[in-house]
Amino acid sequence: MTYDPVSANPLHGNPLRTRADVEKALRDLFQPLLPYFSKGGARVRLDGAAAHFDRAAADLEGFARPLWGLTPLAAGGAEFDHWELYRRGLANGTDPEHPEYWGEVNSTDQRMVELAAIGFTMRLLPHLVWEPLEQKAKDNLAAYLKHARQFDYADNNWKFFRVLVDLGLEECGVEFDRSLTEKYLEELDGFYLGDGWYRDGNIRRIDHYIPFAMHFYGLIYAKLARGDEKRVQAYKERAELFAKDIRHWFDDEGGTLAFGRSLTYRFACGGIWGALAFADVEALPWGEIKGQFMRHLRWWAEKPIANRDGILSIGYGYPNLFMSESYNSAGSPYWALKAFLPLALPEDHPFWTAEETEAVTDEAPVPLKHPGMVMMHTPGNVVALSSGQQNWQMRAGTEKYAKFVYASRYGFSVEVDERAYPMGVFDGALALSDDGRHYRVREANEAAQIAGDNLYSRWKPWSDVEVETWLLPANPWHIRVHRITTPRALHGTEGGFAIGRADLNADQVLEEAGRAVARSRTDLSAIVDLSGQRSGRAHRPFPNTNLVVAKTLVPQLRGDIAAGTSVLVTAAMALPAGEAAEAALGRVPQAPDLGELEQLFARRGVDVSAILVPERF
């Protein structure tokens, strides 16, 4: 019988409608990990792939991350058979004389990240992980946590990790320097931008770390902190504002916008909905919050995201190291278990008793000033036009932050060969080449603006080449206008949305002057040259480049760009296959007037460059 990789997904086959279904999902996700616990319980090693940190820290990651789900499970009153294993691991991992010792923290260290889950567990379950320990083990654990927390944490969401450790130490009666806690809480407030939005540290980046880190940890603090009512109230009020915006990063089927780093954490993206429930913040009607949460889990249940033994893989829609970050070890994907925070709530909590309601989608474009995006909802998909954010120097950082458009259903693609210009995917991007082999795309902006639901950016692929790009919604299409000023001739390739393709090339393609259309069994993707200068190509990129599906087909426009100033105008769209998609294909939007666009930004432009333009490295 042919192996179906989806069947290895521990969520597969689970209806994910009730609290009992969610509890079963958590247990099914944890069970495959048990054979990989070390004899002393302190380390979980899942494969031989490496991260930039040492093996002991990676093994601690495998040990600690499941606690994000197991702790709420027990806090909600459920039985769990392996707390003795975790107590043994805590004792041995913090014992310098034990061979499974995790190693000492002496500077900014991955261990700081993982200790947050331990602090969270100590705060909620002291009777399970602290009180039963022998005094020596208590002393070692307390000393380990206190030693680690004295060092500087990374200047971003990591600052919450000290706060979470401190919640656990406080609950267990351990004395520590509380001034360090207050210092980080004040610095975290400095990341707040307004309207519910944070940035993730001092670099100008706004991605899924805002919902699944900044707000997630803030709402945990709001629920568990004692004697900090002003900050607790602020965290709740900010989350209420944020929920009304972040719902537009989720489509009507539960998929979320594929954008930014750390997407291997998968359904952690839905953690914001569970965190709202945990903190009793009815930012939206409970039925809507529950619907967002449940649909998101169900979306993941149909993806081949696990290896044959049920262990979550590094990747997004399937196992994929190309899209990973240098800090992803085999245990990293288990931050996905953050999604199970509402298991700490009783069955009669309104989050669990509410009837799911459908996602609130908007036919009109939804501008989001702080991330520099304009959101468009289409069936089974949400599209973000993006003015481009700070591109952190990381693997595929350009693709993760600087494309013109991102989507939930179609994800985005990462390039795998910077010396193979003809094979580039370039979905949602414009690539320029001056030698036919190498290429440049937008990596960072010189300027960025948002005016109503239109976006503008100015960027330089080379120091002597300038591109101005305007992005306009025309649902289900979007329009891109590029004004390119170059002292030498270039070649350009611009891509639409990448859709999944059949193994036997059974898809239909249309390639002609000014247009390319790709049709698969499930989707239609099209790109049209509204300026009439380029030829269409339905390109089959290298496999394993797209985040959602392993093999794709992407329509592209290709053509020469003369020295001087040229204007390219592009329309692109993708929809699920069917009559609506075919009808939309026949309604290509008209090219906008460039002069009117310039006047619009001169008259209504809101400068968001302080958020979107990178500082010099």
Side-chain angles (χ1 to χ4, degrees):
M1 185 173 69
T2 303
Y3 167 66
D4 177 9
V6 176
S7 66
N9 181 347
L11 302 180
H12 182 62
N14 187 328
L16 291 165
R17 296 283 179 181
T18 67
R19 187 182 186 281
D21 293 338
V22 175
E23 181 176 325
K24 181 180 185 302
L26 173 64
R27 294 183 186 277
D28 290 344
L29 284 160
F30 178 76
Q31 190 66 29
L33 295 173
L34 279 172
Y36 299 95
F37 274 78
S38 59
K39 182 178 179 181
R43 299 193 180 201
V44 177
R45 185 172 301 180
L46 300 175
D47 68 21
H52 69 69
F53 42 83
D54 60 80
R55 178 58 67 180
D59 294 348
L60 167 59
E61 187 175 62
F63 168 88
R65 293 203 169 189
L67 290 171
W68 288 110
L70 299 175
T71 298
L73 175 73
E79 293 294 323
F80 177 66
D81 296 334
H82 303 290
W83 285 118
E84 191 282 327
L85 174 64
Y86 267 97
R87 288 192 293 270
R88 191 179 352 137
L90 288 170
N92 294 332
T94 57
D95 182 355
E97 299 176 356
H98 195 277
E100 295 185 12
Y101 179 55
W102 292 325
E104 190 173 89
V105 175
N106 285 310
S107 62
T108 304
D109 191 306
Q110 183 67 25
R111 292 165 182 80
M112 294 171 164
V113 179
E114 311 315 326
L115 295 180
I118 294 172
F120 174 59
T121 303
M122 290 168 63
R123 173 65 177 85
L124 284 181
L125 307 175
H127 60 292
L128 292 177
V129 298
W130 174 262
E131 293 168 9
L133 295 179
E134 295 181 359
Q135 190 59 46
K136 178 185 176 183
K138 288 181 180 178
D139 292 343
N140 283 339
L141 177 54
Y144 194 90
L145 295 174
K146 289 174 67 175
H147 176 79
R149 66 181 293 282
Q150 70 181 303
F151 295 97
D152 288 334
Y153 288 57
D155 194 22
N156 54 24
N157 69 90
W158 278 39
K159 292 182 183 294
F160 265 120
F161 299 147
R162 179 191 282 169
V163 175
L164 290 167
V165 165
D166 292 354
L167 288 176
L169 291 172
E170 179 184 54
E171 181 67 20
C172 295
V174 178
E175 292 297 322
F176 57 93
D177 181 1
R178 295 173 186 274
S179 67
L180 295 178
T181 317
E182 183 61 30
K183 177 177 182 289
Y184 270 14
L185 287 168
E186 290 178 1
E187 291 176 3
L188 285 162
D189 281 344
F191 299 152
Y192 186 63
L193 296 169
D195 306 313
W197 289 88
Y198 289 85
R199 51 186 165 88
D200 184 22
N202 285 324
I203 51 177
R204 310 291 185 173
R205 185 178 61 238
I206 302 172
D207 54 19
H208 280 286
Y209 273 86
I210 310 311
F212 71 38
M214 299 300 290
H215 277 291
F216 184 84
Y217 304 134
L219 288 167
I220 288 176
Y221 184 83
K223 177 76 169 184
L224 302 180
R226 300 185 178 103
D228 193 4
E229 291 305 316
K230 183 177 180 181
R231 187 170 280 116
V232 164
Q233 187 62 31
Y235 285 170
K236 290 184 175 182
E237 290 174 356
R238 293 171 188 174
E240 285 191 37
L241 290 171
F242 183 70
K244 294 174 175 59
D245 280 352
I246 200 62
R247 64 181 171 182
H248 294 295
W249 280 28
F250 290 79
D251 66 39
D252 58 348
E253 294 182 357
T256 191
L257 183 70
F259 173 79
R261 67 188 180 107
S262 295
L263 292 176
T264 197
Y265 303 154
R266 295 187 174 105
F267 34 98
C269 294
I272 178 64
W273 308 116
L276 288 167
F278 179 74
D280 298 308
V281 177
E282 192 178 4
L284 305 170
W286 285 122
E288 184 179 345
I289 293 175
K290 183 179 180 181
Q292 293 280 14
F293 176 82
M294 290 295 200
R295 279 190 301 273
H296 188 59
L297 290 180
R298 291 196 292 267
W299 192 88
W300 284 108
E302 301 307 313
K303 302 290 185 292
I305 59 176
N307 298 317
R308 284 185 293 274
D309 56 4
I311 298 293
L312 294 180
S313 64
I314 295 174
Y316 190 66
Y318 60 95
N320 185 348
L321 286 176
F322 284 133
M323 57 74 64
S324 67
E325 283 79 41
S326 64
Y327 53 81
N328 291 155
S329 81
S332 292
Y334 284 88
W335 245 13
L337 300 196
K338 285 181 174 183
F340 294 93
L341 184 58
L343 288 177
L345 303 172
E347 292 183 4
D348 61 356
H349 190 279
F351 172 79
W352 292 119
T353 59
E355 291 292 326
E356 284 187 44
T357 59
E358 295 181 355
V360 173
T361 59
D362 207 319
E363 291 187 9
V366 180
L368 299 177
K369 169 187 171 182
H370 293 289
M373 291 177 174
V374 174
M375 312 304 296
M376 298 192 306
H377 289 278
T378 60
N381 190 31
V382 63
V383 171
L385 305 183
S386 176
S387 56
Q389 293 194 18
Q390 178 160 346
N391 173 13
W392 195 33
Q393 298 302 295
M394 60 187 298
R395 182 186 298 146
T398 296
E399 291 94 324
K400 292 170 182 175
Y401 290 98
K403 288 180 184 280
F404 305 128
V405 60
Y406 293 87
S408 58
R409 183 178 179 91
Y410 306 110
F412 63 85
S413 303
V414 297
E415 304 298 340
V416 295
D417 191 342
E418 63 182 12
R419 296 175 297 278
Y421 170 66
M423 284 300 297
V425 193
F426 309 134
D427 55 327
L430 170 64
L432 301 171
S433 178
D434 59 5
D435 65 359
R437 182 182 182 191
H438 304 85
Y439 61 86
R440 301 286 183 94
V441 294
R442 182 172 70 170
E443 297 180 17
N445 289 322
E446 299 290 312
Q449 290 181 302
I450 183 169
D453 56 17
N454 298 322
L455 295 167
Y456 166 84
S457 66
R458 185 175 72 252
W459 49 285
K460 288 190 171 184
W462 291 271
S463 61
D464 59 348
V465 176
E466 181 177 271
V467 183
E468 293 177 281
T469 294
W470 291 262
L471 302 174
L472 295 75
N475 203 343
W477 294 83
H478 69 273
I479 299 171
R480 312 170 197 167
V481 181
H482 310 288
R483 182 162 59 196
I484 303 168
T485 302
T486 173
R488 60 191 178 279
L490 301 171
H491 190 274
T493 301
E494 186 168 9
F497 293 97
I499 61 175
R501 65 181 169 98
D503 285 333
L504 298 178
N505 294 328
D507 310 301
Q508 299 178 6
V509 299
L510 174 66
E511 301 173 316
E512 59 185 18
R515 184 170 73 148
V517 181
R519 292 181 177 87
S520 70
R521 288 192 295 267
T522 58
D523 292 277
L524 181 152
S525 181
I527 192 166
V528 177
D529 186 357
L530 300 182
S531 52
Q533 301 170 13
R534 294 166 287 174
S535 60
R537 177 174 78 157
H539 178 46
R540 294 173 173 82
F542 291 123
N544 305 314
T545 47
N546 186 263
L547 268 67
V548 176
V549 290
K551 298 179 74 172
T552 58
L553 189 62
V554 57
Q556 296 178 336
L557 296 172
R558 309 187 83 229
D560 294 321
I561 299 167
T565 297
S566 303
V567 176
L568 306 178
V569 187
T570 304
M573 71 96 173
L575 288 170
E579 293 182 3
E582 297 297 337
L585 184 61
R587 297 193 298 269
V588 179
Q590 293 184 340
D593 182 277
L594 181 55
E596 291 180 1
L597 273 180
E598 291 180 306
Q599 291 177 12
L600 170 69
F601 277 87
R603 184 173 64 253
R604 297 179 54 204
V606 179
D607 186 2
V608 293
S609 59
I611 296 172
L612 301 173
V613 175
E615 298 150 354
R616 296 193 178 277
F617 294 105

